[in-house]
Amino acid sequence: MKILVTGGAGFIGSHLCDLLIAKGEEVTVIDDLSTGSLENISHLNGNPRFHYCVNTILNTKVMDRLISECDCVVHLAAAVGVKYVLENPLSSIETNILGTETALKLANRYRKKILVASTSEVYGKHMHAPLKEDDNLIYGPPSTMRWSYAASKLVDEFTALAYHRTKKLDTVIIRCFNTIGPRQTGLYGMVVPRFIQQALRDDPITVYGDGKQTRTFTFIDDVVEAIYRLIKCEKGAGEVVNIGGTEEITIADLAHKIKELSGSNSEIVFIPYDKAYGKDFEDMMRRVPSVDKLKALIGFIPETPLDQILKNTIEYFRAKAS
Ligand code: UDP
């Protein structure tokens, strides 16, 4: 099968390429390297089943050719990370909305199956758990820029669902929860690579707010396995599906765990949100997925224990630093 991975030089995309190549598929990547990096895919260079193109998904001509040549599109290219979106609000909205519209329009032109990556951000400010795909969504006001990320991805979801409803296009929407593992960078705010790098340098570990907010973390290998199965699954058309781990932890406990697992002498410090993200910031206090639908569709859910994921990721960063 020929699979086009938009955003394939990014963290999730590059691991997906590794899996697809290992499974014997043919892979083409398009990535503008805004947050991805050629280093993530350099080891695949020279493989006759791997091709890449450095370009933007907003380039309709290039996207037209790439989508016409593939069997299935995995659309991962997007503005990622709360910090990145807060620092680049306009280009983030453009990439997320126009980029996905382009990918969907062309997938429809050539009648290609398309998986559209969304995010657990779309759930907004819920406090209950687990979050189910048909839950209501709760956002703050537009003056709080964080919600533009959720809203733009929600527009992507509506567009993909509309293509399915009106054109019978095979679209699957994946809501990825906090995914972690090797190659993820802390540059765009993601908490685990930041804490691990701080811990390995014995720098203060910076917990934002009171640290009582919770997340679940999903191992990248589990996420790409789920995506692969969804590519092959014939029951996902028109569905929105969560991909996430279910082991809930507070961010303060995460800091302690990373400190302990890395044998660090770091101090754990608490930083008010306005110092971390500027004013008008609102965090999501809790985020735990329901994975019932994922299990029903593909017979697989992410289950790698958090300690194991963290140990693996700490080793990666330790090796990278030496
Ligand atoms: N966070 C933190 N310290 C950091 C980076 C993030 O305490 O250096 C917190 C952040 O405020 C949030 C959680 O960790 O409550 C997860 O943040 P991330 O940006 O990784 O993902 P999010 O789930 O917010 O999209």
Side-chain angles (χ1 to χ4, degrees):
M1 198 174 186
K2 288 186 186 170
I3 299 164
L4 175 67
V5 182
T6 74
F11 163 54
I12 297 181
S14 64
H15 283 276
L16 179 64
C17 292
D18 288 345
L19 181 68
L20 294 174
I21 290 292
K23 297 276 187 190
E25 313 290 354
E26 182 160 349
V27 179
T28 301
V29 162
I30 177 165
D31 200 300
D32 68 357
L33 305 181
S34 53
T35 55
S37 131
L38 286 181
E39 203 188 322
N40 288 340
I41 49 172
S42 57
H43 57 286
L44 294 173
N45 266 334
N47 185 313
R49 285 184 286 109
F50 181 74
H51 324 275
Y52 74 88
C53 162
V54 177
N55 215 311
T56 163
I57 52 166
L58 300 177
N59 186 330
T60 315
K61 213 172 144 199
V62 170
M63 285 285 278
D64 187 293
R65 179 175 57 79
L66 295 178
I67 292 181
S68 73
E69 289 169 353
C70 75
D71 302 312
C72 174
V73 184
V74 181
H75 178 49
L76 299 174
V80 284
V82 172
K83 187 165 171 277
Y84 183 86
V85 171
L86 291 176
E87 285 167 4
N88 307 278
L90 189 56
S91 63
S92 297
I93 293 170
E94 274 171 6
T95 306
N96 288 355
I97 295 186
L98 299 178
T100 303
E101 195 187 305
T102 304
L104 282 163
K105 190 183 279 180
L106 295 168
N108 182 54
R109 177 174 298 165
Y110 297 105
R111 304 303 294 168
K112 303 295 167 71
K113 173 169 180 167
I114 177 166
L115 273 72
V116 176
S118 184
T119 160
S120 55
E121 278 278 322
V122 298
Y123 285 104
K125 316 191 256 185
H126 278 289
M127 285 306 289
H128 78 276
L131 297 167
K132 290 180 89 97
E133 289 85 349
D134 55 1
D135 277 346
N136 291 328
L137 310 174
I138 313 177
Y139 299 153
S143 54
T144 303
M145 252 319 148
R146 178 194 188 122
W147 303 115
S148 70
Y149 183 26
S152 63
K153 289 311 253 174
L154 186 61
V155 170
D156 290 353
E157 292 195 9
F158 276 126
T159 314
L161 289 175
Y163 267 102
H164 176 69
R165 293 250 171 100
T166 60
K167 316 273 186 193
K168 304 275 177 289
L169 186 67
D170 190 349
T171 57
V172 185
I173 294 151
I174 52 178
R175 284 189 184 157
C176 295
F177 284 63
N178 299 62
T179 303
I180 58 170
R183 295 187 205 149
Q184 187 176 34
T185 153
L187 287 176
Y188 312 113
M190 280 73 166
V191 66
V192 168
R194 286 173 60 84
F195 280 6
I196 291 178
Q197 283 169 298
Q198 289 166 341
L200 292 179
R201 288 194 296 255
D202 285 334
D203 284 347
I205 299 179
T206 56
V207 175
Y208 298 158
D210 62 9
K212 290 191 180 132
Q213 69 273 35
T214 73
R215 295 290 186 273
T216 65
F217 294 94
T218 325
F219 190 37
I220 182 66
D221 289 10
D222 290 340
V223 171
V224 296
E225 176 66 30
I227 295 176
Y228 179 68
R229 290 183 186 220
L230 284 167
I231 293 171
K232 300 287 178 181
C233 171
E234 287 176 1
K235 295 177 294 184
E239 298 289 343
V240 178
V241 55
N242 289 336
I243 300 181
T246 49
E247 200 178 331
E248 185 175 16
I249 185 168
T250 68
I251 297 300
D253 286 349
L254 176 74
H256 285 285
K257 197 181 261 297
I258 288 176
K259 175 174 166 159
E260 190 194 307
L261 290 174
S262 58
S264 167
N265 295 315
S266 290
E267 181 192 355
I268 294 173
V269 295
F270 290 81
I271 298 185
Y273 283 121
D274 58 348
K275 293 241 160 38
Y277 295 108
K279 67 178 179 58
D280 288 334
F281 176 80
E282 209 176 346
D283 203 357
M284 292 176 67
M285 297 312 290
R286 192 172 188 204
R287 202 192 259 171
V288 180
S290 157
V291 286
D292 293 348
K293 194 168 179 181
L294 185 68
K295 191 165 193 176
L297 279 175
I298 60 169
F300 170 86
I301 54 170
E303 279 181 311
T304 308
L306 181 60
D307 277 27
Q308 195 180 318
I309 312 174
L310 291 175
K311 279 184 201 157
N312 179 306
T313 312
I314 289 166
E315 276 326 300
Y316 164 81
F317 278 107
R318 215 191 281 281
K320 205 169 176 237
S322 63

